[in-house]
Amino acid sequence: MKGDEGWQGCEIVKGIIFNLLEEFIIDQAGEDAYEAILADCPLTTPDPGLIVAPGTYPDEDFLSLAGCAAHLIGVGKGELLRRFGRFALPRLTRRYAKLFDQFASPGDLLRHTGMIHQVEVRKLYRDAETPLFRCREGEDGGLLLEYRSSRGLCHLVEGLLDGLAGHYGCGVEYRQLECCHRGGRCCTFAVRFGAGAGA
């Protein structure tokens, strides 16, 4: 695992996340709205209309698009990212079914999330700069999930947790104990999955 220096600086985002964000915005607001966002958002990518899944793009472009979409839809950026996470997770499970099918429950998947990001994702995308996750056992059968990334997308993690519970057919409760936006060293979630097909 990298030291703290590996968590600093600019990160790159895979094109698939941009593609999913495009799908999400069109689903929420329509294709004309997405084209308007592309025209109005300050982006460093020369032609954002040609972003492809295997490519890599600056993370500031993703954050800029998300911010513009939040303004257009009329929600805060955090809520926009939560909704996007819920939208994206089912599509990711279909695209990477072999990864998700390895685990019988959401808890099992979270316990191995670091492995998935650091090993499996890098097999697919060698230049991916992945966030770092660490999951350990919490109190009363719950889990403590630590997320650390210079992107600071903890609201997106919340949406992905909701989507993960939906994928496994169970409920989920989580609360954020520590947040990098409030001076924390990372974002830490106490997570508990309820009864259901995959609990």
Side-chain angles (χ1 to χ4, degrees):
M1 182 177 292
K2 294 181 180 180
D4 285 354
E5 70 277 7
W7 292 355
Q8 304 300 318
C10 179
E11 295 184 1
I12 54 176
V13 182
K14 299 309 298 185
I16 182 175
I17 300 302
F18 281 92
N19 296 159
L20 287 171
L21 183 61
E22 175 184 354
E23 288 181 36
F24 170 72
I25 295 171
I26 292 173
D27 179 78
Q28 296 288 299
E31 192 163 351
D32 289 344
Y34 179 71
E35 294 299 328
I37 288 173
L38 285 184
D40 294 341
C41 258
L43 301 175
T44 61
T45 303
D47 192 346
L50 298 179
I51 288 175
V52 295
T56 54
Y57 305 91
D59 58 342
E60 58 262 33
D61 282 0
F62 173 81
L63 297 172
S64 181
L65 283 171
C68 290
H71 178 75
L72 178 72
I73 295 172
V75 298
K77 191 171 181 179
E79 177 59 24
L80 185 283
L81 289 171
R82 286 188 200 94
R83 294 184 185 184
F84 174 56
R86 296 178 195 125
F87 176 90
L89 197 284
R91 289 154 179 82
L92 289 171
T93 60
R94 290 195 292 270
R95 187 179 182 101
Y96 303 114
K98 289 183 179 179
L99 291 181
F100 287 88
D101 289 349
Q102 296 177 57
F103 306 103
S105 73
D108 286 345
L109 185 142
L110 287 183
R111 290 181 184 93
H112 293 84
T113 295
M115 176 275 293
I116 292 174
H117 276 80
Q118 300 304 315
V119 179
E120 298 296 338
V121 172
R122 287 180 184 273
K123 288 180 182 176
L124 297 170
Y125 303 118
R126 294 185 181 278
D127 57 350
E129 294 188 33
T130 58
L132 296 180
F133 289 93
R134 181 178 302 139
C135 187
R136 64 183 190 272
E137 302 302 318
E139 297 180 358
D140 302 325
L143 298 172
L144 290 176
L145 178 66
E146 294 181 1
Y147 158 75
R148 194 164 183 177
S149 168
S150 64
R151 298 183 186 109
L153 298 177
C154 50
H155 298 106
L156 176 59
V157 173
E158 292 175 349
L160 292 172
L161 286 171
D162 289 332
L164 191 61
H167 174 70
Y168 284 97
C170 62
V172 64
E173 294 180 357
Y174 52 81
R175 57 192 175 94
Q176 196 165 350
L177 306 177
E178 186 179 15
C179 181
C180 63
H181 297 294
R182 299 193 298 268
R185 61 184 179 83
C186 64
C187 298
T188 304
F189 299 87
V191 184
R192 180 183 300 279
F193 292 99

